Amino acid sequence: MRGISWQGLAVAFGALGLLTSLQTSDDDNPHARAPRGVSLVVTEGAYLRAPGADWFAERAKAEPGRFTHDATLAGGIGGWVDAKGEYWFVEMEEGEWVYNQWASPERLTAGRRDFVQFCSSCHGLEGDGYGRSAQHLRPTPRSFQQNKFKFTKVIADLPSDEALLAVIRRGLAGTPMLPWDLSDVQLLDIIQYIKSLSPEESGWRDVYSQVGDAIEVTEDPWVDIKERAIVRGREVYHGAASCHLCHPGYVTNEELRVIRKDPEGTTYRENLTYPALKDSEYEVLGRATKVMPPDFTWHQLRAGITTADLFQTIASGIKGTAMPQWKGALPDEDLWALAHYVEDLIVSYKDQRPERSAFMGGLRTSGDNR
Ligand code: HEC
Ligand code: HEC
């Protein structure tokens, strides 16, 4: 035993103990651990905005087992407690009903754990959109401190949990944002955590924010007359709606002049058959980034390509970008016609190389287009 003191042995056993405890902990996969110095524990819960009265009523009806009415909460005005001890309640704020949710520290901790594991490499450990892998990505990963979302198809200021869940499950085709197949429980915990990252008095922490579901899919008036919808869509696209100011025009200058009933000799933007790069409100480290409107014959769309998806995307527009909300600006009939037209461009030309070359090449060699 000479040379090894009892103290030394104790240290050696201590180190061994530490090693075994690391190896046998829940987090024996190194990727499941947060980087050194980053705490996974959220100590404070958060009051967050919830969707309005209809949503409350629907949830209470749909999940009677999950919600129990408890008039003692929130000064007796009303609320529901679910199995996890989360609660939703209504209160009066300057003469307006405000719908709230309380997310507990335990739930936010669960959400943060999975967020750090699955999302932070791009979205940043603190959700600022500037994770390690984000630095050169375009489009940039969303900052959850900005409270703006592009593809949730929601007209209200903020998307409901369901609208966010749909986007995260579908993923954003053509970007590094994958379709996530985690359980509903995991994703909803992550979503509560994301919402809690709203800076004070903004986003889900602003009493004046409105939270809404994806825009309603109205009845498609063109189901049996798609060919007519496509003709009408092409006309609205290049006419009343001027989609070609940002997205490519899919006509020659001459055809555009006829559709728009412009006088002979009218000229249009250069490179009419290419998309035009646009400013956006999405920031990286406080600086706004630009975004490219897609060419429907070339790019993958992120918000889905069924007629109904396209109707919803066009109707709701894309928040924080140049893409306007068209619901209300155009009649639903025309929104549906546009959806059919865009769908037809995708089906006829996207990934159909010879057809696309012939179509776009034809437009580009005529007139003053490249
Ligand atoms: C490999 C990088 C990467 C990872 C990992 C990642 N994302 Fe994303 N995410 C992105 C990018 C890039 C965008 C923005 C795409 C765009 O604007 O077109 C985005 C956008 C989003 C949006 C905004 C959608 C909208 O409508 O504006 C949400 C919400 C989101 N991600 C959630 C998540 C969640 C939750 C996880 C983890 C389960 C995750 N992301 C993991 C790259 C990533
Ligand atoms: C003032 C510019 C502008 C106009 C006008 C415009 N858009 Fe857009 N649009 C954009 C931008 C920018 C994006 C992409 C936003 C992004 O990537 O962040 C976009 C995205 C889209 C998308 C979604 C793409 C996806 O990935 O799912 C569709 C569909 C679309 N536009 C259709 C239309 C139609 C149809 C019209 C005319 C009714 C139109 N846009 C008019 C700028 C515009």
Side-chain angles (χ1 to χ4, degrees):
M1 289 300 287
R2 186 161 296 202
I4 300 180
S5 69
W6 285 111
Q7 245 174 352
L9 260 185
V11 170
F13 276 118
L16 204 71
L18 188 70
L19 238 135
T20 25
S21 81
L22 271 182
Q23 277 167 350
T24 54
S25 79
D26 294 347
D27 298 336
D28 55 356
N29 171 358
H31 297 288
R33 267 184 260 130
R36 208 183 293 253
V38 170
S39 168
L40 289 179
V41 180
V42 180
T43 50
E44 282 180 41
Y47 290 99
L48 306 169
R49 290 300 74 69
D54 293 351
W55 187 90
F56 266 62
E58 254 174 50
R59 293 309 177 285
K61 214 162 81 190
E63 301 177 80
R66 188 169 169 216
F67 295 99
T68 43
H69 186 254
D70 184 347
T72 60
L73 289 173
I77 292 169
W80 292 266
V81 194
D82 77 3
K84 284 186 168 179
E86 304 290 296
Y87 63 86
W88 281 261
F89 63 94
V90 189
E91 64 186 351
M92 185 65 93
E93 190 86 34
E94 298 188 8
E96 300 269 349
W97 292 113
V98 176
Y99 295 84
N100 300 287
Q101 166 192 1
W102 161 253
S104 67
E106 293 75 31
R107 191 165 190 199
L108 295 180
T109 299
R112 178 162 167 76
R113 277 186 83 89
D114 281 345
F115 180 84
V116 166
Q117 165 79 334
F118 299 114
C119 323
S120 67
S121 58
C122 292
H123 291 284
L125 284 167
E126 304 310 323
D128 62 359
Y130 202 61
R132 280 263 169 131
S133 317
Q135 309 198 356
H136 304 287
L137 292 183
R138 291 292 181 278
T140 54
R142 201 66 68 251
S143 158
F144 299 118
Q145 298 173 2
Q146 268 199 294
N147 309 308
K148 277 194 185 62
F149 296 88
K150 292 185 188 174
F151 304 108
T152 49
K153 301 172 177 172
V154 169
I155 283 182
D157 310 330
L158 298 169
S160 63
D161 289 2
E162 285 70 19
L164 278 171
L165 192 66
V167 165
I168 298 168
R169 279 214 181 289
R170 193 182 50 232
L172 300 174
T175 83
M177 172 69 194
L178 300 172
W180 289 93
D181 188 23
L182 302 174
S183 73
D184 274 0
V185 172
Q186 280 178 301
L187 285 177
L188 286 167
D189 284 350
I190 294 177
I191 288 171
Q192 307 321 311
Y193 174 67
I194 287 175
K195 297 193 303 191
S196 77
L197 298 175
S198 295
E200 291 283 332
E201 318 260 314
S202 81
W204 278 276
R205 288 159 167 255
D206 176 357
V207 285
Y208 300 109
S209 293
Q210 300 287 330
V211 179
D213 283 327
I215 195 167
E216 190 195 342
V217 177
T218 56
E219 205 183 314
D220 176 0
W222 307 94
V223 200
D224 301 320
I225 39 174
K226 283 198 177 185
E227 290 310 313
R228 277 172 56 194
I230 294 165
V231 172
R232 175 67 187 156
R234 181 174 181 267
E235 195 175 282
V236 179
Y237 184 100
H238 299 95
S242 299
C243 311
H244 65 277
L245 290 180
C246 304
H247 299 274
Y250 299 101
V251 292
T252 61
N253 273 13
E254 188 52 27
E255 285 170 316
L256 190 56
R257 199 180 58 73
V258 173
I259 293 173
R260 300 182 68 82
K261 302 192 179 71
D262 285 336
E264 199 96 31
T266 309
T267 53
Y268 301 101
R269 74 171 169 91
E270 249 185 89
N271 305 333
L272 178 67
T273 60
Y274 291 86
L277 192 63
K278 293 282 153 186
D279 289 335
S280 87
E281 295 168 15
Y282 292 92
E283 296 176 353
V284 177
L285 301 179
R287 292 201 195 163
T289 55
K290 292 186 191 269
V291 292
M292 196 69 152
D295 173 348
F296 307 111
T297 69
W298 187 262
H299 295 109
Q300 278 181 283
L301 295 198
R302 287 153 285 175
I305 52 168
T306 65
T307 330
D309 282 330
L310 291 164
F311 167 82
Q312 285 179 305
T313 306
I314 297 166
S316 58
I318 302 197
K319 278 206 174 57
T321 77
M323 169 76 186
Q325 172 191 320
W326 292 99
K327 181 90 181 174
L330 294 172
D332 269 22
E333 195 181 305
D334 281 345
L335 297 179
W336 278 108
L338 285 163
H340 282 289
Y341 175 60
V342 170
E343 187 185 1
D344 183 60
L345 288 170
I346 297 169
V347 173
S348 309
Y349 304 115
K350 164 107 173 54
D351 300 329
Q352 316 281 330
R353 286 299 171 88
E355 287 82 356
R356 181 182 188 268
S357 297
F359 175 57
M360 296 305 276
L363 300 176
R364 284 170 185 174
T365 51
S366 62
D368 53 10
N369 296 319
R370 274 201 294 174

